[in-house]
Amino acid sequence: MHANTQSQENQIKVSVSLVTFNHEKFIAQAIESILLQEVNFNYEIIIGEDFSSDKTRKIVIDYQKQYPDKIRLILPEENLGCYGQKIFVQTLQASLGQYIALLDGDDYWTSPYKLQQQVDFLDSHSECAICFHDVTINFEDQTALPRRYNDFEPSQFSDLENILKSNFIPTCSTLYRRGLFDGFPDWYYDTVCGDWVLHILNARHGKIGYINELMGVYRVHSNGLFSGMRKIQQSTEVIKCYGLLNEYLNLEYNHIIKSEEIYRYLTCFSIYQKEGTKFQKKQYIHKLFVTLVSHPLISCIAISKLIKRIILLRINRSKWRLRKQKLKLLTHEYSSN
């Protein structure tokens, strides 16, 4: 009886997967934000350090020595590459918890109750495979003011079709049930959109729940794997991922995927209209033409989506400009007083 009770007490409820590479400036804050969690269950931290060239490895080793019962390290003797997917998968495979939380080494959590709230949510919503919350985007170069991750408020519950359209789940906000699928497809290591693919694989086994609270920060900086890419690179990576996903899902969601591909072809073409070469513009005109002819109805949906998106972006930019002007006025008034 006593042994069973002790076993239950030692059972790990949540494994936190923390992947890091050259995050010397950020990693301590990421780890501290996990250690500050106030919870009524046991959790572990699995840190995958992908052979950084800065002091990141030394920092995580020092933390592991301070918290040997809480932190486990994965320390490859060379950089595993593959957009960080190999080290990421290793942390997931090493996880023992009922649930897995994700955090990148350059992001951090802002609420000490984040894990407890998400665990309570999944415990009480057995129909959900994933739970996430809102986060703040911080631009390290200060080219823009901090803002919420999504342009629109996500629904309290969404599904596979929703997450196929766009990745509205910030990585640092993710908590999901471990062991929902057998393994990653072979092509997983060739795509930069690893977190999005993971959400899609999990969403095949349950709904996606949303908690409307800001409980984390996603940093955008020049060394970020995805955020550090130019917009054209981001779009082409997503198009590549859609092609792989469509085949993997046996064309079951072809209507959604084709619509999103067309939308991103149009996005790429509009970018190349301003800054690309004739060859690049011609390349996307050809792709557009072939897809438009093959899927006329889906193409109409994609074009209307692009127009709507452009309008919303202009509205949001106007809001940011007004907000910046107000902040300047307030700062001026304060300094004058």
Side-chain angles (χ1 to χ4, degrees):
M1 186 77 174
H2 175 72
N4 288 338
T5 303
Q6 191 175 24
S7 177
Q8 288 172 359
E9 287 176 352
N10 292 333
Q11 188 177 3
I12 295 169
K13 185 79 170 180
V14 175
S15 296
V16 181
S17 164
L18 176 57
V19 172
T20 184
F21 175 71
N22 284 352
H23 291 151
E24 178 185 343
K25 292 196 303 182
F26 312 123
I27 189 62
Q29 188 173 19
I31 296 171
E32 290 289 347
S33 74
I34 304 171
L35 295 170
L36 288 170
Q37 292 300 299
E38 297 184 20
V39 297
N40 61 11
F41 51 80
N42 292 327
Y43 70 91
E44 63 176 356
I45 306 170
I46 313 294
I47 302 178
E49 199 291 304
D50 202 9
F51 204 73
S52 299
S53 59
D54 61 9
K55 294 179 181 177
T56 302
R57 179 160 293 201
K58 180 183 182 303
I59 295 168
V60 301
I61 289 173
D62 288 344
Y63 267 101
Q64 197 278 330
K65 288 176 180 177
Q66 291 180 61
Y67 303 93
D69 298 330
K70 183 73 73 178
I71 298 174
R72 287 192 285 136
L73 301 180
I74 297 174
L75 304 173
E77 295 181 0
E78 62 180 1
N79 180 261
L80 300 181
C82 294
Y83 304 110
Q85 309 308 4
K86 283 191 174 181
I87 191 76
F88 178 52
V89 170
Q90 285 190 19
T91 66
L92 301 185
Q93 290 172 339
S95 299
L96 301 174
Q98 178 185 352
Y99 302 131
I100 296 180
L102 306 181
L103 183 63
D104 287 332
D106 50 352
D107 300 331
Y108 61 97
W109 297 336
T110 55
S111 169
Y113 311 108
K114 169 218 154 62
L115 281 183
Q116 186 67 59
Q117 282 185 255
Q118 289 191 278
V119 164
D120 291 344
F121 185 95
L122 284 184
D123 279 350
S124 60
H125 291 87
S126 58
E127 76 279 15
C128 288
I130 313 166
C131 172
F132 76 105
H133 55 78
D134 208 348
V135 305
T136 302
I137 298 181
N138 272 358
F139 297 87
E140 290 296 302
D141 60 2
Q142 299 182 336
T143 53
L145 290 171
R147 63 174 177 84
R148 287 184 171 236
Y149 186 87
N150 288 300
D151 294 331
F152 303 97
E153 194 68 48
S155 302
Q156 185 180 4
F157 297 100
S158 47
D159 57 24
L160 176 58
E161 291 197 3
N162 300 121
I163 194 66
L164 271 173
K165 290 175 183 176
S166 66
N167 185 14
F168 51 82
I169 303 177
T171 304
C172 63
S173 76
T174 306
L175 185 77
Y176 71 91
R177 300 183 192 275
R178 181 169 68 93
L180 292 176
F181 58 93
D182 294 331
F184 290 95
D186 294 337
W187 50 262
Y188 181 77
Y189 302 100
D190 297 323
T191 175
V192 73
C193 310
D195 54 343
W196 181 40
V197 175
L198 173 64
H199 302 329
I200 291 167
L201 296 178
N202 281 323
R204 300 179 78 190
H205 303 276
K207 292 183 178 180
I208 303 166
Y210 171 66
I211 298 173
N212 186 14
E213 286 192 40
L214 284 164
M215 294 194 283
V217 168
Y218 167 63
R219 279 192 175 98
V220 173
H221 57 96
S222 58
N223 292 325
L225 181 63
F226 191 76
S227 64
M229 289 181 173
R230 293 167 57 221
K231 291 291 183 185
I232 192 71
Q233 288 177 293
Q234 291 178 348
S235 292
T236 51
E237 284 295 334
V238 172
I239 290 169
K240 171 186 166 184
C241 194
Y242 269 128
L244 296 167
L245 280 167
N246 208 11
E247 185 178 349
Y248 180 77
L249 297 170
N250 297 315
L251 305 180
E252 187 178 350
Y253 300 92
N254 185 56
H255 63 293
I256 293 174
I257 289 174
K258 282 299 173 188
S259 174
E260 295 303 324
E261 279 184 348
I262 293 166
Y263 168 64
R264 282 161 181 83
Y265 286 152
L266 289 165
T267 303
C268 290
F269 177 70
S270 63
I271 293 171
Y272 279 141
Q273 275 288 89
K274 297 176 183 177
E275 57 186 58
T277 63
K278 284 184 179 180
F279 173 76
Q280 289 167 328
K281 284 186 277 189
K282 191 174 180 180
Q283 181 185 14
Y284 278 95
I285 288 172
H286 177 71
K287 287 182 179 180
L288 269 173
F289 179 77
V290 171
T291 314
L292 292 173
V293 171
S294 305
H295 307 276
L297 182 59
I298 293 173
S299 301
C300 292
I301 296 169
I303 292 167
S304 64
K305 181 178 177 180
L306 179 64
I307 293 168
K308 184 180 178 182
R309 180 72 177 170
I310 291 169
I311 293 168
L312 285 171
L313 279 172
R314 287 179 179 175
I315 291 169
N316 286 337
R317 282 170 184 163
S318 298
K319 285 180 180 178
W320 283 123
R321 278 195 288 268
L322 287 170
R323 191 173 168 185
K324 279 183 179 178
Q325 288 171 0
K326 286 180 181 178
L327 283 170
K328 283 180 181 178
L329 286 170
L330 286 170
T331 306
H332 177 71
E333 287 174 12
Y334 178 77
S335 59
S336 297
N337 292 333

